[in-house]
Amino acid sequence: MKQPTICPKFEKAISLLSQRWTALVIYQLLLGPQRFNEIQSSIGISGKVLSDRLKELEHQGVVKREVIPETPVIIEYSLTEKGLSMEPILRTIESWSQAWVKVELDSSENE
């Protein structure tokens, strides 16, 4: 029996979203435009990893980087139309996680 093939577009989408921190960055930007430090402190990601993820998401057309020429220069990140279209997907995952995912507390948090 022939195995069904996975659609290459679906595979690419899952590969993008499953990259560590990527979905959390997109989820955070659903709140609106934010500066680098706001995103970093909100999700607890290292600066290098966040920089890499933002560059990749910008390359994929999911995130827009806007330079505001003030002193000092302000850089804001926001979701493009393509990025905003992921909201129902992430909200569905959020609902599913509330119903089905248990968070294990480590022993230091139980004390």
Side-chain angles (χ1 to χ4, degrees):
M1 184 162 118
K2 185 180 175 194
Q3 288 280 28
T5 58
I6 295 176
C7 171
K9 289 183 179 185
F10 177 80
E11 186 177 358
K12 187 171 181 176
I14 291 298
S15 177
L16 175 67
L17 283 175
S18 66
Q19 209 175 13
R20 185 164 180 155
W21 300 105
T22 298
L24 292 176
V25 170
I26 296 167
Y27 185 81
Q28 183 63 32
L29 287 172
L30 288 173
L31 298 173
Q34 295 177 47
R35 294 166 75 172
F36 187 93
N37 288 340
E38 293 174 292
I39 301 166
Q40 184 178 21
S41 64
S42 295
I43 61 177
I45 184 175
S46 78
K48 179 181 181 347
V49 174
L50 178 56
S51 179
D52 291 346
R53 293 304 176 268
L54 287 168
K55 284 177 187 170
E56 175 63 20
L57 290 168
E58 188 177 5
H59 176 74
Q60 294 293 329
V62 173
V63 167
K64 178 177 78 171
R65 180 180 185 266
E66 183 178 2
V67 178
I68 301 166
E70 292 183 4
T71 306
V73 171
I74 295 173
I75 299 173
E76 279 190 341
Y77 296 90
S78 60
L79 294 174
T80 62
E81 182 180 352
K82 182 178 180 179
L84 288 168
S85 71
M86 292 182 185
E87 183 171 13
I89 298 160
L90 295 175
R91 298 289 182 210
T92 299
I93 293 170
E94 178 182 37
S95 294
W96 178 86
S97 72
Q98 294 301 316
W100 295 101
V101 176
K102 291 184 180 178
V103 176
E104 300 290 328
L105 299 176
D106 66 20
S107 60
S108 65
E109 292 177 359
N110 289 330
E111 297 172 356

